[in-house]
Amino acid sequence: MKSVTKISLLFFSFLLILTSCKRESSNDDANGDPLLSLPIEEKTFILLTNTFGPNDPNSGGAAALFQVYNDYLPGRIFMMNIPSQNNVAYKAGVTDSVINTFFKKPPVPALHLNNEFVDLDLAEKIDLVSNRSPNVGVNHLVADKGDYYEVRAKVKILDFFYTSSFYITSYLLGDFEPKDYGGGVNFSTQPLPGVTEISNGRLSYALDVKSLRDTSRVVVRKGDPVMHYRVLLSTDSVAFAPGLLLDTINIFGRSFDAGDIFGLQQTPLRFKLPKTPASEVAANLYVVTMVFRKEDGDQQIRLENSYQTRIR
């Protein structure tokens, strides 16, 4: 009965769209909306989260590992670096929100796979997670609106869920040199003996790091400059890091069917990511959009999938 009712409601919604097709066209009209043709890859992507923070000397080693694992599974690894809580280079409150709700418990300084601490070989865990069939896929479009970036997300449900809640959010990330940019934007980092060193006035790697896929190749070379990759800068989900509850825009509440798509004209998903002093001096800017799921009886909000694109 539920499936028949859903088909009837969807057919009725389709009729409403047909009867309104004579309206004056605009960028939000479905016929001209680029989100319609935006593809969603049905793959499980992995978000590696660095919880050392860019001011921690260990962050240079974590940045090297970012490169190593990105080389290990090209095109499937995304990155995020959470700033230390006393760093004023990002929007106030972002770190507290992520620490309190993104992770199951306050994270130890380490690399985390999605929003979980990995206590076994990270490459082994990457293999395990990347081979899973995804439950949901996501993509986005980003527009510069002056003092903020507007993200329009598109989500596709890939399985059937009747007792799950889904959440979606977007974060603004940036790449930085380990230095003091001035104006309170300070990503300077002390060297970690044996891993990083000061060379020609710059924080650089003190050793070669080989590829995990092909040990004859070097991914990070001695003397390469250190960068802080994908530092979290801002989000409009400060109060609750996992973001918007999809149940609130789904006419069937917590009931989701394979093939359901959200983010189009009838179910818009828009996020405003404020620009910050740090975002204005970042070497590169990125947006990551993440979809979380919470099942009945499960206290943990789990990161189901993500998608990250460079916007500058």
Side-chain angles (χ1 to χ4, degrees):
M1 178 65 70
K2 180 257 181 190
S3 60
V4 173
T5 303
K6 184 166 187 177
I7 292 172
S8 300
L9 286 172
L10 290 175
F11 180 70
F12 179 69
S13 299
F14 178 65
L15 288 179
L16 286 179
I17 293 173
L18 287 180
T19 57
S20 63
C21 66
K22 292 184 179 180
R23 292 180 303 163
E24 182 179 356
S25 63
S26 71
N27 289 335
D28 291 329
D29 285 343
N31 287 340
D33 192 343
L35 212 61
L36 271 176
S37 58
L38 185 70
I40 293 178
E41 295 188 64
E42 297 184 7
K43 299 177 181 177
T44 298
F45 292 93
I46 291 172
L47 183 68
L48 289 184
T49 305
N50 172 12
T51 54
F52 285 112
N55 302 113
D56 189 317
N58 290 288
S59 62
L65 290 177
F66 272 164
Q67 297 181 70
V68 169
Y69 289 113
N70 189 50
D71 172 80
Y72 180 70
L73 194 64
R76 299 280 297 280
I77 302 287
F78 302 136
M79 300 177 281
M80 182 169 70
N81 187 338
I82 299 179
S84 54
Q85 296 191 44
N86 62 353
N87 192 315
V88 298
Y90 61 94
K91 185 175 175 62
V94 171
T95 290
D96 288 341
S97 178
V98 172
I99 294 298
N100 291 334
T101 59
F102 191 86
F103 295 99
K104 187 174 183 179
K105 59 183 179 180
V108 297
L111 282 179
H112 297 251
L113 190 147
N114 292 342
N115 57 336
E116 298 182 15
F117 173 67
V118 180
D119 58 357
L120 69 162
D121 182 76
L122 190 52
E124 179 182 337
K125 186 68 171 179
I126 287 173
D127 289 338
L128 177 66
V129 174
S130 64
N131 286 320
R132 292 175 183 167
S133 296
N135 292 319
V136 62
V138 63
N139 202 344
H140 57 230
L141 297 174
V142 183
D144 189 336
K145 296 294 185 177
D147 59 349
Y148 68 91
Y149 293 98
E150 181 188 64
V151 180
R152 298 183 61 210
K154 182 179 179 181
V155 173
K156 184 176 182 180
I157 306 298
L158 301 173
D159 206 340
F160 295 88
F161 300 93
Y162 303 120
T163 59
S164 291
S165 290
F166 286 91
Y167 301 83
I168 181 171
T169 189
S170 294
Y171 292 172
L172 182 66
L173 315 174
D175 293 345
F176 297 89
E177 295 181 43
K179 68 178 185 180
D180 188 347
Y181 286 84
V185 181
N186 184 4
F187 291 109
S188 58
T189 310
Q190 295 299 311
L192 181 67
V195 178
T196 58
E197 61 188 5
I198 302 297
S199 177
N200 297 321
R202 300 184 66 179
L203 187 67
S204 305
Y205 288 104
L207 74 170
D208 291 342
V209 183
K210 294 183 177 181
S211 168
L212 293 177
R213 291 190 298 124
D214 179 2
T215 56
S216 67
R217 293 191 304 108
V218 174
V219 177
V220 176
R221 295 186 179 279
K222 176 179 170 63
D224 284 351
V226 173
M227 289 288 291
H228 296 309
Y229 297 108
R230 318 301 191 267
V231 178
L232 171 59
L233 299 176
S234 74
T235 176
D236 67 357
S237 303
V238 173
F240 186 63
L244 173 70
L245 181 62
L246 278 186
D247 305 10
T248 61
I249 64 170
N250 180 18
I251 60 175
F252 299 101
R254 301 177 68 212
S255 179
F256 299 88
D257 285 358
D260 285 351
I261 293 180
F262 299 91
L264 301 181
Q265 191 179 31
Q266 304 301 318
T267 55
L269 299 170
R270 297 175 185 262
F271 303 97
K272 292 183 178 180
L273 307 184
K275 294 182 180 179
T276 69
S279 68
E280 297 306 284
V281 298
N284 304 298
L285 282 179
Y286 298 80
V287 167
V288 60
T289 298
M290 298 168 284
V291 180
F292 298 82
R293 180 167 69 96
K294 186 176 185 297
E295 189 72 21
D296 274 355
D298 191 350
Q299 297 302 311
Q300 169 72 349
I301 298 176
R302 301 184 183 279
L303 180 59
E304 283 288 334
N305 219 339
S306 59
Y307 202 75
Q308 187 175 114
T309 57
R310 180 179 172 182
I311 62 171
R312 194 192 73 195

